[in-house]
Amino acid sequence: MTTTSPSVRTSEFRLLATPLVLFLLVFLGFPAIVNLVYSVSQVSFETLRSPQLSGFSNFAAVWNDAAFWRSVWFSLRFGVLTALLECGLGLFLAIFLSPLIVKRSWLLAILMLPLMVAPALVGLMYRLVLHEFVGPVPYYLWTWFGAGVSFLGPGSAFWTLVTVESLQWTPFALLLFYMAYQAIPADIGEAAAIDGAGPLRRLWRIELPLMAPTIVAALLIRFIDGFRVFDNVYVLTGSGPGGATASLSIYIYEAFFKQGAIGKAVAASVLLFAASFAVLYGLNALATRRKGAAA
C-alpha cells in the first residue's frame, strides 16, 4: 500500500484550488475592491474613473438617513414574516400532502409551478389583479360585498407584499420539507407506532427533530431572500408612499440611479454586506459550538 507524502498532497491541493481562487479574485475580488473605494469617495456617473476620496462621509450620510433605517426595519419585518409563513405553510403541506404526492408524484410538479415564473412577472400580474381602480379583485369585492379595499394603499401594501411573496415561494419550502420527510427511515416510525406513539406524538418527537436541520436551513435561506427582496416590491409598489415599502435593495437602487449618489449607495451596500456576514458568521459559530457540545 502506497502513501502520499504531505508535500505532494499540498501541491495537489494548490493545483485544484487555483481555478477557484482565480474565479473569486476576478469575479468577486475586483468588484469588492472597487466598491470599497467608491464607498469612501465622492463619485458620480461622470467621475467613475476618477473618484475623490472623502473618508467616511458616505457612511455617515447613510447612518444618519432616516430613510435608511425605515428600509432596514421594512426588510427585517418582511424577511422574518415571509420566512415564517413560507416555512410554516410549506411544512404543513409537505406532511399533509405526502401520502397523496407519493401516489401521484406529478402533483409535485404542479405545486412547483409558481417557482417557474419570474418574480417581476408575478409582481406585475398581482399589480393588475389588485389595482384599486381596474383590478378584478377590488371590483368584485365592491360589487358583491360593498367593501372598498385598497390592497396597494399605505395601510395594506406591506401585508399584500408579504402575501404575494409567500404565495410564490412556499413551494420552495414545500419541496425541501417533502424531501426531508421522505428521507426519514420508515422503520423508525414503525417502531414508535408499535410502542404506542400516535401520529402527533411521532411527528413532534421523531419526525420534526429529524427534519430540524432542513427546517433551519430553509428558514435561513428564505429570510435572506426576503431581506434582500427587490423584484416584487419594486413592481407592485416601488418605495411606496413616503418610502413605506422601500426595502434595503430599493433604497440602494434609488440612491444609485435616481439620486446619483453612487458613494452613498455603495456605502449602504457595504453596510448590508457587513451585517449579513456578521449574522452568517454568528450562526456558523453557534452551529459549530453545538456540534462540538453534542460530540
Side-chain angles (χ1 to χ4, degrees):
M1 182 176 179
T2 60
T3 59
T4 306
S5 64
S7 59
V8 173
R9 289 198 298 266
T10 301
S11 61
E12 290 179 351
F13 172 77
R14 291 176 178 174
L15 179 63
L16 294 174
T18 298
L20 175 62
V21 172
L22 291 176
F23 173 83
L24 293 176
L25 288 176
V26 172
F27 291 97
L28 295 179
F30 177 72
I33 294 174
V34 172
N35 283 336
L36 288 176
V37 172
Y38 283 166
S39 67
V40 293
S41 305
Q42 292 295 331
V43 58
S44 63
F45 287 105
E46 292 80 11
T47 60
L48 281 176
R49 298 180 181 179
S50 56
Q52 298 180 354
L53 296 179
S54 61
F56 295 96
S57 59
N58 290 323
F59 290 95
V62 171
W63 193 264
N64 296 322
D65 190 358
F68 171 76
W69 294 109
R70 281 198 303 268
S71 65
V72 170
W73 175 236
F74 174 89
S75 295
L76 282 174
R77 287 188 302 154
F78 189 86
V80 170
L81 285 174
T82 54
L84 291 176
L85 285 173
E86 292 162 13
C87 292
L89 185 57
L91 182 61
F92 170 78
L93 292 175
I95 296 174
F96 182 76
L97 297 178
S98 180
L100 184 61
I101 296 176
V102 169
K103 296 179 180 179
R104 298 173 177 83
S105 57
W106 52 269
L107 288 175
L108 189 61
I110 295 178
L111 292 172
M112 294 299 108
L113 285 178
L115 298 179
M116 304 300 141
V117 185
L121 294 180
V122 172
L124 181 61
M125 177 186 69
Y126 278 104
R127 184 176 182 179
L128 295 174
V129 170
L130 301 176
H131 196 280
E132 185 176 0
F133 300 109
V134 299
V137 174
Y139 170 78
Y140 286 114
L141 285 177
W142 174 260
T143 303
W144 294 343
F145 305 104
V149 181
S150 177
F151 290 98
L152 303 178
S156 55
F158 175 80
W159 297 107
T160 300
L161 293 171
V162 168
T163 303
V164 170
E165 183 80 3
S166 300
L167 288 175
Q168 181 174 15
W169 291 104
T170 292
F172 173 80
L174 165 63
L175 180 62
L176 290 182
F177 296 147
Y178 174 74
M179 296 303 176
Y181 188 71
Q182 291 300 311
I184 298 175
D187 54 352
I188 296 179
E190 294 172 357
I194 293 174
D195 291 338
L200 291 179
R201 190 175 182 85
R202 293 199 302 270
L203 174 65
W204 183 254
R205 293 297 183 89
I206 299 175
E207 295 168 353
L208 288 181
L210 291 175
M211 296 173 63
T214 304
I215 295 174
V216 172
L219 282 169
L220 182 60
I221 292 171
R222 292 313 310 150
F223 170 75
I224 293 174
D225 204 31
F227 186 79
R228 64 177 182 83
V229 66
F230 178 84
D231 315 65
N232 282 338
V233 177
Y234 181 76
V235 174
L236 275 168
T237 61
S239 59
T245 60
S247 64
L248 262 175
S249 298
I250 289 182
Y251 173 85
I252 295 171
Y253 168 82
E254 291 188 341
F256 194 99
F257 289 102
K258 291 188 176 181
Q259 302 173 16
I262 296 177
K264 181 180 177 181
V266 174
S269 66
V270 170
L271 290 176
L272 175 59
F273 171 80
S276 303
F277 180 81
V279 171
L280 292 176
Y281 180 82
L283 291 173
N284 183 62
L286 180 62
T288 304
R289 184 180 303 176
R290 291 188 62 182
K291 185 182 296 185

